[in-house]
Amino acid sequence: MASTRARLLSGAAAGAASAGIVAGAVMETGLPVPFTQWVFTAACLSLPALGLLIARRRPDNVYGWLLLATAGCLGLGASGYGLLLHGGPGPAAVAGVLMLSFFPVFYGLSWVFIPLLFPGGRLPSPRWRAGSRIAAAVIALYWLGILLSPDEIYASFFSGGNPFNLGGTADLVAGVAGGLGQLATFLAALAVLASLVLRCLRSPAAERRPLRWMIAGTVANLGGYVLTGVFAEKGQEAAGWFGALTIMAAMPAVIAAAVFRHNLLDVRVGIRGSRLFLVFDLRPTVDELLTEIGPGLEDADPVEQLERLAGAVRAGLEVRWAAVALADGTRVVAGEEDGEAVLTVPAGLGHIACGPKTAGPVTAEDRRLLEALAVPVGLAIRSAALAARLVDAEEAGRRRIERDIHDGAQQQLVALIAGLELARATGGGPELLALLREQARQALADLRELAAGIHPSALSQGGLAEAVEERCSRLPVATTVTAAPGLRARRFPDQVEGAMYFTVSEAVANALKHAAATRIEVRLAHAGGRLQAVVADDGKGFDPAATGRRGLGPLADRLRALGGNLEVSSAPGEGTRVRAWVPVPIDHGSVRQIVLRFSHDDSDGAARREDAQRA
């Protein structure tokens, strides 16, 4: 229900109920209204006021609307009673009796459904579905019996008789039905009271405290009804008035006490200075929580992001502790974890676990809030996992470079220094100097090759298309590179060009090492706000689910960190297709393609390049 509609509807319902209660009180005693009547009226008005408060602040909770419906029945009954006191036969009597007949509905809702649905507006268990239907049926029987009851029922305060009187045997049937309905409704109330007691005994300590309030209120309500009937027959008006006051005030009082004392619906009583005030919607929404911690998340590292989000979960749900757990077992806890989790929801690659609440039980609204917070927490978990994989990949790359330098260029330079020392000691001739010169050239070539593996000079100087062409020109199989001409003239951020280049390099390396490919095709495109590279080969293929991405995992993490992704499509005997993309601004330049074909058929391994253009 929309918030505006809920406010209007709840306000109208509370206003109508309050008007009926006040009108009935004034018509009953006349003006001026005695003080005791005002006290009694104030007690009756507490019910629509409490219903209005809950319905407006928690429109999705049935309980507030139940209180308003109960108050509406009370207002109708009070107005009908006042109308019959001052009216005579005719339309006024018809309206008065019809309105007065809602008193049994008021009693039935107060005795049965207000305690039964406390505090969340739901049945305590599915077993109560049949019981609630039976209770509704007996309340309806109670109402119908009063509506059609004989004239004698109204004789004490209305001499005009019941306009709905059926006469004859039907009077007796209506009277018996009304009596049986009243008795059955009272027995249903006792069954609900017994259910409350059992729930209280079986519930944890945090849930028992609000249930005790409702048990006390139900006992006071039923007891007040019995005492009112007893004292009314004995003519003791003061005792009867006190019993009626107990009926009207007991339920609103205990509900208000339970709500405010145990924060059942996020409503509290606060004191600031000398002023007493109510704090509504104490629990912040997901948007409010993220708005509050958002600026801090932008500059925080992934682990710190998880810590702050765990703290937001703890504050938002008012639990003793909250933990964000990753798939690898890492846990980030806000608060002191001192017991089992009472609420757990999945979040991305991990989950969120919460301990007991600081006050009151965990509700369905708590679960909804936690499920909403699971979205940003899941993103933070993915970010943390991605950052960890990138760090591992960077460390692995650093170790690989260190190993390549140690095993390659370093050993060559050591050998070159030893040769120079030997030449100086022996006065080496031209042959030794020529050998040392060749060793120096080989070491230089190896260092250049190593540097190209770290960041190729062609990528820095000529851009992505030129670097990919240079990389593919040295392959020992026929390779085709297709690129949009705009890629030659346009440069992209270094991290974008580097990620795409090394993805292509790893894909073609896999095609050579694992796929036994005889032909490789590379396509570079820039359209739809994406820079895309596709590497396809005609090799033997593989099952991606069984063998993974063959070294592309760190590169996929690198692409995802840039907002892109990597897809591998392959099957045994059908070749392999690797598609990588990252988001970049759209280039509105030419869409002509240049097809560069490289073949390596020379016996000495030298590459022959052919350039062709297609419009």
Side-chain angles (χ1 to χ4, degrees), residues 291-363:
T291 300
E292 181 180 351
I293 66 174
L297 292 177
E298 294 179 359
D299 301 328
D301 59 72
V303 175
E304 189 176 356
Q305 287 182 358
L306 294 179
E307 292 176 349
R308 296 188 180 184
L309 287 170
V313 170
R314 183 191 179 201
L317 272 69
E318 292 190 334
V319 292
R320 297 175 186 173
W321 59 269
V324 177
L326 279 63
D328 60 2
T330 303
R331 289 174 64 86
V332 178
V333 182
E336 185 177 351
E337 188 173 1
D338 58 354
E340 295 293 330
V342 298
L343 185 59
T344 302
V345 299
L349 301 177
H351 65 270
I352 312 173
C354 296
K357 296 192 67 174
T358 55
V362 174
T363 64

Side-chain angles (χ1 to χ4, degrees), residues 16-24 70-81 99 103 106:
S18 301
I21 293 170
V22 173
T70 307
C73 293
L74 175 60
L76 287 173
S79 298
Y81 180 71
M99 295 167 67
F103 263 131
F106 162 73

Side-chain angles (χ1 to χ4, degrees), residues 424-461:
R424 186 182 66 175
T426 60
E431 294 182 357
L432 180 57
L433 293 177
L435 177 61
L436 293 175
R437 183 170 58 251
E438 183 61 29
Q439 289 181 355
R441 288 175 177 173
Q442 185 61 43
L444 179 61
D446 289 347
L447 284 174
R448 286 175 175 172
E449 186 71 20
L450 180 61
I454 300 174
H455 194 83
S457 58
L459 185 61
S460 301
Q461 299 173 4

Side-chain angles (χ1 to χ4, degrees), residues 35-75:
F35 175 75
T36 54
Q37 186 73 337
W38 281 125
V39 174
F40 182 80
T41 302
C44 294
L45 290 176
S46 62
L47 184 62
L50 188 59
L52 177 65
L53 169 65
I54 298 176
R56 282 199 168 190
R57 296 300 170 177
R58 291 292 176 263
D60 57 335
N61 193 317
V62 178
Y63 206 71
W65 302 104
L66 174 63
L67 295 178
L68 287 177
T70 307
C73 293
L74 175 60

Side-chain angles (χ1 to χ4, degrees), residues 40 107 223-248:
F40 182 80
Y107 286 124
Y225 183 81
V226 173
L227 292 177
T228 300
V230 171
F231 289 120
E233 290 185 0
K234 294 181 178 181
Q236 299 181 12
E237 294 183 1
W241 176 86
F242 182 79
L245 182 66
T246 303
I247 295 173
M248 299 304 170

